[in-house]
C-alpha cells in the first residue's frame, strides 16, 4: 500500500467496502461501478492531511481553488456514462487529482483526460502511477476542444459546470454514446446526460449537483 500514507493502507480496504455499502444505500445500482469504487485507493488521490477523510462522502479541496468530487458524485456520473454497457474509449474533461480518471480507467480500455492547470496534470500523473493505472492518457489543455484526433468516444464526462455542452465535444461522441456533465442555470446545477443517436442528441436532466465552473483557456 501507499508509503505516503502509513497506517491507512491496512484499514483502507475495509473502509472502502463501507463506502461501497453507503453508495449502494444512496441509490447507486451498477454493480460494475460499485466494484471498481471498492478497488481504487481514494486516499492516494487526496492530500496527505486529508487522507483520513478520503472515504467520507464529501468533496475535498484539491488546491488551485478546485475540489475533488464526492464518491457519490463520481459513482453516479460513471453509472450514467456507462448505462450498463461496456466502454472502450472515454474522454474526461477536468482531470483534477485523477480519481475519477482512475475509476474510468478500470472500466474502459483507454481513458483520455484533459486539464487546464499544468500542476494538476503533474499531480494526477503521479497519483495514477502510484495507483498502478497505465491506460489513462493525460493532456494539458482547454478541454472544450476535446481530442478530435482520438475521437469518437463511447462516453465523455465533464467534471466542471457549463451553461451548455461544448459543441466540439458533442461531435466527438460515438452514435449511442453519452456525455455526462453538470449543467448550470440560474445559480442552480444539475447533472445532464446527452445521448447521441443516429438522428441527433437527446438530453436528460438528472440530480442536482455542485461543481466548480468550466473555465476557458489554460491556467
Ligand atoms: N474529476 C476531478 C474534478 C476536479 S474539479 C477530481 O475529482 O479531482 C474540476 C476540474 O476541471 C479542475 O481541476 C479544473 O481546473 C478543471 N477545468 C475547468 N475548466 C476546464 C477546461 N476548460 N479544460 C480542462 N479542465 C478544466
Amino acid at each position: 500500500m501507499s508509503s505516503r500514507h502509513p497506517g491507512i493502507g491496512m484499514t483502507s480496504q475495509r473502509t472502502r467496502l463501507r463506502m461501497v455499502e453507503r453508495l449502494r444505500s444512496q441509490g447507486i445500482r451498477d454493480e460494475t461501478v460499485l466494484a471498481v469504487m471498492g478497488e481504487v485507493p481514494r486516499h492516494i488521490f487526496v492530500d496527505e492531511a486529508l487522507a483520513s477523510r478520503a472515504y467520507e462522502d464529501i468533496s475535498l479541496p484539491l488546491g488551485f481553488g478546485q475540489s475533488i468530487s464526492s464518491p457519490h458524485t463520481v459513482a453516479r456520473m460513471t453509472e450514467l456514462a456507462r448505462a450498463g454497457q461496456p466502454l472502450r474509449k472515454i474522454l474526461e474533461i477536468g482531470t483534477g487529482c485523477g480519481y475519477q480518471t482512475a475509476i474510468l480507467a478500470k472500466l474502459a480500455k483507454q481513458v483520455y483526460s484533459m486539464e487546464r492547470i499544468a500542476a494538476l496534470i503533474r499531480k494526477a500523473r503521479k497519483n495514477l502511477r502510484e495507483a498502478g493505472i497505465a491506460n489513462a492518457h493525460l493532456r494539458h489543455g482547454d478541454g472544450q476542444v476535446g481530442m478530435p484526433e482520438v475521437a469518437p468516444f463511447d462516453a465523455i464526462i465533464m467534471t466542471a459546470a457549463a451553461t451548455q455542452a461544448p459543441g466540439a465535444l458533442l461531435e466527438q461522441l460515438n452514435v449511442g454514446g453519452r456525455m455526462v456533465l453538470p449543467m448550470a442555470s440560474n445559480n442552480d446545477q444539475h447533472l445532464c446526460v446527452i445521448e447521441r443517436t443516429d438522428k441527433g442528441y437527446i438530453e436528460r436532466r438528472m440530480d442536482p449537483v455542485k461543481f466548480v465552473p468550466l473555465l476557458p483557456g489554460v491556467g
Side-chain angles (χ1 to χ4, degrees):
M1 266 294 154
S2 164
S3 54
R4 268 203 297 154
H5 309 295
I8 291 176
M10 287 193 305
T11 52
S12 73
Q13 181 64 35
R14 212 167 50 223
T15 319
R16 265 201 304 285
L17 292 180
R18 272 205 301 276
M19 178 184 81
V20 167
E21 278 320 307
R22 196 174 58 229
L23 292 172
R24 198 177 267 121
S25 73
Q26 288 170 331
I28 303 298
R29 294 274 170 271
D30 188 329
E31 287 297 328
T32 308
V33 173
L34 289 168
V36 163
M37 296 289 298
E39 268 177 43
V40 175
R42 186 168 152 92
H43 61 273
I44 284 180
F45 293 85
V46 308
D47 284 344
E48 205 162 345
L50 299 167
S52 64
R53 311 201 64 187
Y55 298 101
E56 295 178 27
D57 198 40
I58 48 174
S59 64
L60 292 168
L62 165 61
F64 309 93
Q66 308 301 319
S67 56
I68 307 172
S69 305
S70 71
H72 177 261
T73 300
V74 170
R76 183 67 178 138
M77 290 181 89
T78 309
E79 177 175 73
L80 290 171
R82 232 175 72 81
Q85 287 161 34
L87 300 168
R88 282 156 299 172
K89 207 163 38 168
I90 309 184
L91 176 65
E92 177 191 32
I93 308 302
T95 317
C97 70
Y99 176 68
Q100 168 88 69
T101 322
I103 296 292
L104 297 173
K106 293 267 185 191
L107 291 167
K109 284 210 169 65
Q110 303 298 336
V111 175
Y112 297 83
S113 185
M114 298 180 73
E115 168 59 57
R116 63 184 293 280
I117 299 176
L120 287 177
I121 285 279
R122 286 194 291 274
K123 196 168 179 169
R125 275 210 180 102
K126 181 168 167 284
N127 293 342
L128 288 162
R129 200 178 313 122
E130 196 173 334
I133 305 278
N135 59 334
H137 314 280
L138 310 191
R139 176 181 292 182
H140 178 221
D142 184 349
Q144 293 182 88
V145 299
M147 294 179 65
E149 72 285 10
V150 187
F153 299 98
D154 297 322
I156 301 177
I157 286 191
M158 198 160 94
T159 67
T163 50
Q164 59 179 43
L169 295 180
L170 291 177
E171 280 171 21
Q172 291 171 33
L173 271 181
N174 251 329
V175 171
R178 285 157 302 280
M179 176 162 183
V180 182
L181 73 156
M183 197 80 98
S185 58
N186 308 327
N187 294 329
D188 186 53
Q189 288 181 16
H190 280 83
L191 280 186
C192 189
V193 180
I194 304 176
E195 187 178 346
R196 183 170 198 175
T197 70
D198 49 5
K199 296 193 187 64
Y201 296 90
I202 299 172
E203 191 172 314
R204 277 183 301 147
R205 198 175 128 113
M206 314 296 292
D207 336 7
V209 284
K210 201 168 181 331
F211 276 80
V212 296
L214 186 77
L215 298 173
V218 291

